Amino acid sequence: MATRYWIVSLPVQSSATSLWSRLQESISKNSFDTLLYRFNIPNLRVGTLDSLLALSDDLLKSNTFIEGCSHKIRRQIEDLEKASGILASSLSVDGVPVDSYLTKFVWDEAKYPTMSPLKEIVDGIHVQVAKIDDDLKVRVAEYNNVRSQLNAINRKQTGSLAVRDLSNLVKPEDIITSEHLVTLIAVVPKFSQKDWLSCYETLTTYVVPRSSKNLHEDNEYALYTVTLFNRDADNFRIKARERGFQIRDFEYNSETQESRKQELEKLMQDQESLRSSLLQWCYTSYGEVFTSWMHFCAVRLFSESILRYGLPPSFLSVVLSPSVKNEKKVRTLLEGLCGSSNSTFWKTDEEGSMGGLGGEADTHPYVSFTINLI
């Protein structure tokens, strides 16, 4: 599938049919690998010259927004498919591949009546896409919020022993809690384990001999228990810190453990549900935005062609996708078909060129916009 297309209108000197035949012949002879299609625009309501000029001023800004929304949804789909382990799918619009919708474009009269003023059509498209864009922000924020909560829990589960959640490492039988005794959890640097084992019994007076037990190790630390008299706990914490050992606050509670487990399971279910829902919404919304964008481009091409060539409307609109190496050649072919005596007027330096749709510099004696599908 090509990902970059030109939408072009050429002024008709005699008939659109003969111009189309000449264009087909010229492309096939000189740039046979260039895809070429008719871009069928109906007879839209022209309005006044002032209304067309006023509309033209707003179209570039609106196109940037609509195109950006289309790409934003597409990137979101790619991210969601990757996160779900789904093979990247070929997106479709109204049941056909994206490029086919563009190259076989048909105006939707029911949705955009051709007798409506152009500004009304453009404003309607902008409002619809803006609503989808707002919905996307809300849905993505909701999904990302759940992801952030899960990531925070996972960091606690997979971080170093100095910061991670210890609830799945410490078992009830590892802890002694009575009226007089308490078990503390010590985080010991791996290279200091011998030091810990040789000194923990004498850090304070009331430590139970041989009570330290290794529970777990990671790349940096080892996790040990130590049992001592409750009244000596605060003093032990201070002495341990002075020797480079960290005493983690920990209290085993079976209800809390179960609550955390249920919270994690619910978050995982919520994430999967939101991801699936968001992905389906994106598939649908991408199609809606893309169809809106193509109708917008049709209005843009129509209005710019009237401003460029005058009334009554007499131009041939086409879609092309030349290879990069043949772009300059195709530009020359299109210019040659314009039959314009003032073609040299449009051969300006790129820096001083007029703006075209999607930011492309329009320095040609014909109307030309670029469509980047991705």
Side-chain angles (χ1 to χ4, degrees), residues 7 78 84 120 201:
I7 298 183
E78 291 170 354
S84 301
E120 184 178 307
E201 295 179 349

Side-chain angles (χ1 to χ4, degrees), residues 336-351:
L337 290 169
C338 284
S340 176
S341 60
N342 67 341
S343 291
T344 54
F345 172 79
W346 299 99
K347 294 180 180 179
T348 57
D349 292 336
E350 193 168 326
E351 291 180 359

Side-chain angles (χ1 to χ4, degrees), residues 146-159 163-165 259-265 267-268:
V146 172
R147 284 184 65 198
S148 297
Q149 293 181 58
L150 265 176
N151 288 337
I153 291 175
N154 288 331
R155 280 195 298 271
K156 288 182 179 180
Q157 297 287 1
T158 59
V163 295
R164 69 175 291 181
D165 180 18
S259 176
R260 287 177 179 173
K261 182 180 177 182
Q262 291 177 359
E263 178 188 11
L264 179 60
E265 290 176 351
L267 282 173
M268 292 176 67

